[in-house]
Amino acid sequence: MLVHHDVSVATYQNTTFREGIVNTFAVGHHVINGRYPLYVSWEDGASGVSNIYLTTSMDNGVTWSTPIVVNDNVSPVDALQPNLNVADDGLTDTVSVAFYDRRLPCQAAGTEEAIAAGIALDPGTGSSPGTPYSRPNYCINTAIQFYTATLAPVGHNIRLSQHTWDPQLNSPHWICICNSGTFIGDYFGNTSGGSTEYTTSVSTFDDGSNSNHYQQQVVASVPIPKP
C-alpha cells in the first residue's frame, strides 16, 4: 500500500542523534461512509528541517488525503518522531499526533532552568560547537496536536514538556561507543483513557531525581479537547 512517495528521511541539524520513529499508523474506531478510517503520520526532511505530516484514507487505503503539516512552528526547526493515537469517546474519534519539538531554544545562561537542564555539561557538537545556551533547533520538548476524525485541527500544538531538555547529555551510541552517532531511546508512547491523553517520552532534565542527566521516561497527560 503506497501512502505517499518521495519522502526524504530527515537528518537533524546541530546534534548527533539519528532518526528513530519515522512513521506511525492508526485505525479509527467508528465507521465513516461505510469504512473505518486509516491514518498515517510521518516525518520528512525535504525542506532542510524535519516536519511532521498526516494523512487519512476513507476507502480502505485506495486513496489518501492531501498530507497536512502537523507542527505549527513559525521558524524552521526540526519536528520529529511522530506517534499517532485515535481516542474513542463512544460517539466519535479524536486523532492525535505526539512528537518531539525543537521550536524552543535551549535555556539561557545563568538561569535555574539551564542549571537543571545541565546545559553547562554540553560542549556542543562538531556542527554546532560551544555550550548551547539559548541555541535554537538544538534542545527538545514534547508536543501534541489534536484533530477530528476527518482531520480538522482542534486548536494548535500543545506543549507537553514542563522542561526543555538537551539530547546530547549521556546520549547512547548506536552500533558501538566508537561511533559518534547517537540516538534518543525509542520509547515514545501515545495513548488515551476516558477523556485524557497520555504520552511517555524522553527527557534528560534534572527535576531532582536525575542528577546524572540520563535519558529518562516522563509521563504527561492532557485533557482531550472537544471540537
Side-chain angles (χ1 to χ4, degrees):
M1 180 186 297
L2 177 64
V3 176
H4 190 71
H5 58 82
D6 297 331
V7 174
S8 176
V9 178
T11 301
Y12 309 123
Q13 296 185 9
N14 303 321
T15 44
T16 58
F17 65 86
R18 67 177 183 177
E19 73 280 354
I21 307 166
V22 296
N23 54 62
T24 177
F25 173 79
V27 181
H29 303 279
H30 297 273
V31 170
I32 298 178
N33 296 328
R35 301 284 191 275
Y36 287 98
L38 309 177
Y39 303 98
V40 175
S41 181
W42 67 93
E43 60 181 86
D44 186 289
S47 68
V49 294
S50 179
N51 290 295
I52 305 296
Y53 292 87
L54 176 64
T55 183
T56 183
S57 174
M58 300 292 179
D59 55 11
N60 289 342
V62 177
T63 61
W64 294 83
S65 63
T66 301
I68 56 178
V69 180
V70 174
N71 48 293
D72 61 10
N73 46 285
V74 176
S75 300
V77 296
D78 291 318
L80 53 136
Q81 295 196 15
N83 202 318
L84 263 170
N85 182 59
V86 181
D88 178 10
D89 70 0
L91 298 175
T92 187
D93 290 330
T94 300
V95 179
S96 66
V97 184
F99 59 97
Y100 287 126
D101 183 6
R102 302 180 91 176
R103 77 187 69 189
L104 295 181
C106 298
Q107 292 90 333
T111 62
E112 291 186 4
E113 280 285 305
I115 294 171
I119 303 299
L121 303 174
D122 183 356
T125 64
S127 61
S128 185
T131 305
Y133 290 120
S134 302
R135 188 164 300 165
N137 204 20
Y138 193 99
C139 290
I140 297 178
N141 284 271
T142 299
I144 195 168
Q145 176 64 49
F146 290 95
Y147 298 88
T148 66
T150 56
L151 297 192
V154 181
H156 298 282
N157 293 175
I158 299 171
R159 181 190 182 193
L160 296 178
S161 302
Q162 288 186 321
H163 307 284
T164 301
W165 60 278
D166 186 339
Q168 292 299 120
L169 298 181
N170 287 308
S171 52
H173 294 257
W174 52 284
I175 301 179
C176 73
I177 194 68
C178 60
N179 189 340
S180 62
T182 61
F183 65 95
I184 298 173
D186 300 333
Y187 311 105
F188 197 167
N190 183 14
T191 190
S192 53
S195 60
T196 303
E197 196 83 11
Y198 301 94
T199 65
T200 62
S201 57
V202 168
S203 176
T204 59
F205 189 88
D206 180 18
D207 62 354
S209 63
N210 189 25
S211 60
N212 290 316
H213 300 283
Y214 293 134
Q215 289 190 8
Q216 301 290 336
Q217 283 291 295
V218 176
V219 177
S221 64
V222 62
I224 299 172
K226 298 297 182 182

